[in-house]
Structure formats: structure tokens, C-alpha cells
Amino acid sequence: MSFIFHSKVNMLGGKMRALLVLLVCSKVLAIATNDAYPSGYGDDRACGGTGDKLVPLRMEVYGNGRIFDITHRITPETCGGSEVGQIISLSLSMKNGSDYNFSIMKLPVHAGTHVDAPGHVFERYFDAGFDVDTLDLDVLNGPALLVDVPRDKNITAEVMKSLNIPRGVRRVLFRTLNTDRQLMWKKEFDTSYVGFMKDGAQWLVENTDIKLVGIDYLSVAAYADLIPAHLVFLEGREVILVEGLKLDDIQPGIYTVHCLPLRLLGAEGSPIRCILIK
Amino acid sequence: MSFIFHSKVNMLGGKMRALLVLLVCSKVLAIATNDAYPSGYGDDRACGGTGDKLVPLRMEVYGNGRIFDITHRITPETCGGSEVGQIISLSLSMKNGSDYNFSIMKLPVHAGTHVDAPGHVFERYFDAGFDVDTLDLDVLNGPALLVDVPRDKNITAEVMKSLNIPRGVRRVLFRTLNTDRQLMWKKEFDTSYVGFMKDGAQWLVENTDIKLVGIDYLSVAAYADLIPAHLVFLEGREVILVEGLKLDDIQPGIYTVHCLPLRLLGAEGSPIRCILIK
């Protein structure tokens, strides 16, 4: 249920001033589990839901192996999230007499598993309204290939060529060293992640039919080619970039992917939920 | 791409005080279009994307009729959204010298098309952690029935019985008078919407296999039975409630539904993207 409510808060006055800083925070989340199913965030994967104890079951695989959740959970430790304050805050609480609990969420649209729209790096596209609501759901939903890429380099043109991805493949999720290193499970942003170099992006755009590019860290582009590779991918407004995917413990191969961003008017990105169906 | 940034804003100090008020705002969005495809929000469905003019195409149906978007767009006019301030605010802007645009989103988790988790109306479930991250993706993804319900009453036990929904059907989207009245296209909250009465909810839980209940306004429960009907649905923690669906112009029948909420730890609801695939 959802209701209008009038919040007597001091609204954020004026324009936000923000600085790009690379925080070095403590590594608090990169604890692998020993379960057969994909990694969790360590200690919160209780095995419950039955009996008297009220313990929620947090799963990574659903429907007896039918559905794989390839989305990272958004927590207070989510990289970048806490920089805007509390991500989830209870506005109306049953403890304070409300008939229901009612929370507000606040989050950078590029935190956690998310999608980039063309307005992210092109001012003219931003001004024209190429936001996440203009992304093609036909690209975000359909057959997808999960591939492992070489672990010793960024994704260059040479690497792209070596992957031999056939023409006709429209959606590819690239699993890299970032997954092995569990970078997405860390609170700090780590600039040593791997990703596309500009020439790799260029090769993909010119020589494949790939329109959905998924990757396992917060940027598809290697730090050395951060903006140039994004520009190559997004200039044609046909390629959709999904970043921060959770690809741990999933076999390479063909799946049906469903990636559904929020329908946020004016936003150049959106947190997203992505699943694979076998 | 996504980066840590340090925002020098005045954080919202202290606890939010919020009052449940039913705003009566002007009707600004309920403008129907004449297109063959589902209704848009009136004047912003430009037919562009090609040629020199940079005009984004905002669609309701994708992939030549394969995918129907049954999610309402989140705009500054979204019912309840603007009550927490600006929904999307640009934190880093290319106009101010940044290499990229970077926005913050702020929104009640029950605004627009959204999902309720058991913690929404049960304090013990909230405390135990039954948040949106614990919802079963196997329920949220699979075959679904879209049905029209009688337009002259709420969804009572009698109405539920009359629908003759066969055993085995796990996901039902109920289209009501709310769609005809275009209530979701309005900015104001309208308490005259229709929804489940407590006995209708009870009948569904006891006599059907339905685990996903979708409806076309901001509450599955009629205003007269607001809390009681929610309690009946959510007590067993097996039924998932998706509210605020956009079911305009879609034929009744069987589809595959994909409803993907964000993976928000601790949130008793989440904005959601829902699609139907024919």
C-alpha cells in the first residue's frame, strides 16, 4: 500500500556540492560462503523461514535452480550508497503508532548493480531526455551469453576478437577478474578493477551485434579509459550498459536474462534487478 | 559507471516527522493518447529517435509486441513522490565541469508501481527482517493471468468466487475500475479507488493457489479495509503484493510476468519494474 504523506523535513537546501573522492574504507563484506549456491555477503544467509524462529531466508537461486539472482544486494555498506546518508530510512513506523511501516529510499542511481543511460556521459543526450526510461526493454530481456574473459588483462580489441562471439548474439555478460577478486562485495571503490579499454569497446560496436553489455564491477570501462570507453559504447544510443553484476558461481553459457531498471524520468542511470533463467 | 563521491550536503538531521495526509492536487497527468498502443502520459510520447532531431522515443510496448511495460513512469508528478523533495537530483553535472552526469534518487519505497513486503504491516516481520530482499523471485517471474473484475464493486469473496480462477494459477493481475478511471495517471491520491475487501483477500488465500496479486492502484486493499486486507494477504508470508500496475490497453489472458523489485536490505517495499511477455 502506498500513501501520500506530508513530510515536515528540512529539504536539502540549495545545490549539492560533490567531490569525486576515492574512499578507502575497511573491507567488511568480502566474506565468501561455503554453500553450494552462489556467494552471499557472509553471515546473513540464515537457513530459516520455517519453524518457530522468524528468520528470513535470503536466496541467490530460486525455483529449484530455475532463476539466478545476479544482482548485488543494496546494504548500508553498498559502495557509494552511504555517501548520501542513510539509504533506507523509516518515515512512518509502527513503533510510533503508525498502522504500517513506510520507508524512504535515497541512493545514487549508479550505486550497486545498475544501468547507464546515454545521458550519463553525453550532455546533448542528457538535455534531449535520453534517460533510463528510453532504454529498450527488448534489449534488456532475452537470450544472453555469459562468458569468462582472460584474467590477465583489460578487455581490449584483441581480447574481444579472441572471444569469438558469433554474430547474432545480442546480449553478453562479461565475467572478469573482478568476480574472482570479489570487488563488488567490498565497501571501498577499487580503481584496480578491470574493464573495457576504448579499443575493446570500439571493436565490440563495430564487429558484433551485442547491444547489452553486462560486467561485474561498477564500470564497464577500465579506469585508464573510463570516459573514452563509455563514450564509444553510448554514442550510438543502441548499446545498454549494465554494471555491477553478481556473476559468482554461475556457469558460463546461454541463459535468458531479465534486467529491469526503474522507470525514472530524467535519470541518467538506475539501480536495476537482473536475473538469469536457465 | 559509478563512483564514490563525497557530498557536502546538510544531511537530513534527526528523524523525519511525517503525517498521513491526503492531498488534493490538480489533475495534471490523466491525458489519454489516441495511439494504438497503451496509454502514455499525454504529451511526451514523441515519435522520434531518428533523423537530426534528438527526440527520445518513450514506449509502452517493445520488441514488435513481444513485451508490454506494465510499470508507471516515475515523474515529478508521481503520487507521493514529490512529498520527499525532488525525486531525481543531479549531484555531478557536465554543465559544471564533471566528466559525467550523476544523479541521486529519493523516493518513498511505496511510490508508483511497487511491491509490499511482509514488514510493511507486521511489526514482528519487520523486526525479523522480512524485507523486499526476502521475496521469492520464483513467484515474481512466471506465467500470469490478467483478469478483468466487475466494475461495480470491490473485490469481495463473492467476486473472487465468480472469477472462477482455476487451481494451479499462481499469479493474477486484477484489472479494475481504477484502470478505466486512470487513477494512477493522477497526481492526487484518490480514496475512491477499488480493491480487495478483507473477505476477498481471505477467500483468495484459502481457496486459490495465487501467490502473486497484482492490482492497478496504489493499494491492493480497498480503503474501507485497508489494513485488514493487507494483514490477511501478508500474514502467511507467501503472497506477494504488487501495486500500482499499468494495465491499460492490454488484453485479458495469459502472459509471462516479470516483476523485479530492487534488492533493498531492510526495506518493507520497493519501487518495481514489471513487464508482460506474450
Side-chain angles (χ1 to χ4, degrees):
Chain A
M1 103 187 113
S2 167
F3 300 100
I4 303 292
F5 68 99
H6 188 92
S7 165
K8 294 194 180 299
V9 298
N10 293 318
M11 292 307 173
L12 295 175
K15 201 170 178 60
M16 283 185 169
R17 284 203 304 136
L19 301 171
L20 177 66
V21 296
L22 302 173
L23 298 178
V24 181
C25 310
S26 58
K27 176 174 173 175
V28 293
L29 289 172
I31 305 165
T33 59
N34 293 319
D35 303 69
Y37 276 179
S39 312
Y41 292 83
D43 59 356
D44 60 353
R45 299 183 64 226
C47 54
T50 58
D52 290 340
K53 280 178 62 179
L54 275 175
V55 181
L57 183 63
R58 296 188 189 276
M59 297 193 287
E60 307 301 324
V61 181
Y62 293 81
N64 297 316
R66 183 172 78 95
I67 298 173
F68 299 86
D69 192 350
I70 55 170
T71 317
H72 277 277
R73 193 179 300 143
I74 295 170
T75 78
E77 309 299 330
T78 289
C79 184
S82 61
E83 299 309 304
V84 294
Q86 202 176 339
I87 293 174
I88 304 292
S89 55
L90 205 50
S91 167
L92 293 173
S93 168
M94 295 179 74
K95 286 190 176 57
N96 289 335
S98 173
D99 287 336
Y100 48 84
N101 295 308
F102 190 96
S103 294
I104 310 293
M105 65 177 293
K106 188 179 181 191
L107 194 67
V109 297
H110 302 272
T113 308
H114 70 278
V115 66
D116 286 351
H120 187 32
V121 289
F122 284 96
E123 188 64 359
R124 67 180 187 277
Y125 292 161
F126 186 86
D127 291 343
F130 288 96
D131 56 30
V132 289
D133 181 44
T134 68
L135 298 178
D136 190 348
L137 289 180
D138 193 45
V139 170
L140 287 161
N141 296 274
L145 182 64
L146 170 61
V147 295
D148 274 303
V149 300
R151 296 313 203 229
D152 60 344
K153 57 191 84 169
N154 282 309
I155 306 176
T156 59
E158 183 193 35
V159 168
M160 272 305 303
K161 201 171 176 181
S162 74
L163 293 175
N164 292 311
I165 296 168
R167 279 283 183 177
V169 173
R170 296 181 69 204
R171 304 167 193 87
V172 179
L173 312 183
F174 296 87
R175 182 161 57 188
T176 76
L177 184 63
N178 302 329
T179 293
D180 304 347
R181 293 179 63 204
Q182 299 198 299
L183 294 188
M184 278 297 293
W185 304 85
K186 296 180 180 180
K187 186 174 183 178
E188 76 269 33
F189 186 75
D190 189 331
T191 59
S192 71
Y193 68 89
V194 298
F196 276 86
M197 297 299 285
K198 183 184 176 185
D199 71 321
Q202 198 80 50
W203 200 94
L204 182 150
V205 168
E206 292 173 356
N207 299 284
T208 77
D209 294 316
I210 301 169
K211 303 302 178 198
L212 179 70
V213 175
I215 203 154
D216 53 2
Y217 198 54
L218 294 167
S219 167
V220 288
Y223 201 64
D225 263 357
L226 193 58
I227 302 302
H230 272 84
L231 293 174
V232 168
F233 277 133
L234 294 177
E235 183 161 25
R237 301 198 313 273
E238 286 195 337
V239 173
I240 299 180
L241 305 177
V242 179
E243 300 170 324
L245 287 170
K246 180 174 69 64
L247 302 178
D248 315 58
D249 305 328
I250 298 178
Q251 294 301 308
I254 297 171
Y255 300 84
T256 299
V257 69
H258 296 284
C259 273
L260 295 180
L262 299 183
R263 210 171 169 186
L264 302 170
L265 187 73
E268 81 291 342
S270 171
I272 199 168
R273 187 72 172 270
C274 287
I275 61 171
L276 294 181
I277 296 183
K278 191 65 189 179
Chain B
M1 95 189 121
S2 168
F3 299 100
I4 304 290
F5 68 100
H6 187 90
S7 166
K8 294 196 182 301
V9 297
N10 293 319
M11 293 303 173
L12 295 175
K15 202 172 176 61
M16 281 186 171
R17 283 202 306 135
L19 302 171
L20 177 67
V21 297
L22 302 173
L23 299 178
V24 181
C25 310
S26 59
K27 178 174 173 177
V28 292
L29 289 172
I31 306 164
T33 58
N34 293 319
D35 301 68
Y37 276 178
S39 312
Y41 291 83
D43 58 357
D44 58 354
R45 300 183 64 226
C47 53
T50 58
D52 290 339
K53 279 177 63 178
L54 277 175
V55 182
L57 182 63
R58 298 188 188 275
M59 296 193 286
E60 307 300 324
V61 181
Y62 292 82
N64 296 318
R66 183 173 78 95
I67 300 174
F68 298 86
D69 192 350
I70 55 170
T71 317
H72 277 277
R73 193 179 301 145
I74 296 171
T75 78
E77 309 298 330
T78 288
C79 184
S82 61
E83 298 310 304
V84 294
Q86 202 176 338
I87 293 173
I88 304 293
S89 55
L90 205 48
S91 168
L92 293 173
S93 168
M94 295 179 76
K95 287 190 175 56
N96 289 335
S98 172
D99 287 336
Y100 47 86
N101 294 308
F102 189 96
S103 294
I104 310 292
M105 63 176 294
K106 188 177 181 193
L107 194 66
V109 298
H110 303 272
T113 308
H114 70 278
V115 66
D116 286 351
H120 186 33
V121 289
F122 284 97
E123 187 63 358
R124 66 181 188 277
Y125 293 161
F126 186 86
D127 291 343
F130 288 95
D131 56 29
V132 288
D133 182 43
T134 69
L135 298 178
D136 191 348
L137 288 181
D138 193 45
V139 170
L140 287 160
N141 295 273
L145 183 64
L146 170 61
V147 295
D148 273 302
V149 300
R151 297 309 204 235
D152 59 343
K153 57 191 85 171
N154 282 308
I155 306 176
T156 59
E158 182 193 36
V159 168
M160 272 306 302
K161 201 172 175 179
S162 75
L163 293 175
N164 292 311
I165 296 169
R167 280 283 184 178
V169 172
R170 297 181 68 205
R171 304 167 193 87
V172 179
L173 313 183
F174 296 87
R175 183 162 55 189
T176 76
L177 184 62
N178 303 329
T179 293
D180 305 347
R181 293 179 63 205
Q182 299 197 298
L183 293 188
M184 278 296 294
W185 304 85
K186 295 181 182 181
K187 187 173 182 177
E188 76 270 32
F189 186 75
D190 189 330
T191 59
S192 71
Y193 69 90
V194 299
F196 277 86
M197 296 300 285
K198 182 185 176 185
D199 71 322
Q202 198 80 52
W203 201 93
L204 182 150
V205 168
E206 292 173 358
N207 298 283
T208 76
D209 295 316
I210 300 170
K211 302 302 177 197
L212 179 70
V213 175
I215 203 154
D216 53 2
Y217 199 53
L218 294 166
S219 167
V220 288
Y223 201 65
D225 263 358
L226 193 58
I227 302 301
H230 272 84
L231 292 173
V232 168
F233 277 133
L234 294 176
E235 182 160 27
R237 302 198 313 272
E238 287 196 335
V239 173
I240 300 179
L241 306 178
V242 179
E243 299 170 325
L245 287 170
K246 179 175 68 67
L247 302 178
D248 315 58
D249 305 325
I250 299 179
Q251 292 302 309
I254 297 171
Y255 300 84
T256 299
V257 69
H258 295 285
C259 273
L260 295 180
L262 299 182
R263 211 172 169 186
L264 302 170
L265 187 74
E268 81 290 342
S270 171
I272 199 168
R273 187 71 173 269
C274 287
I275 61 171
L276 294 180
I277 297 183
K278 192 65 190 179

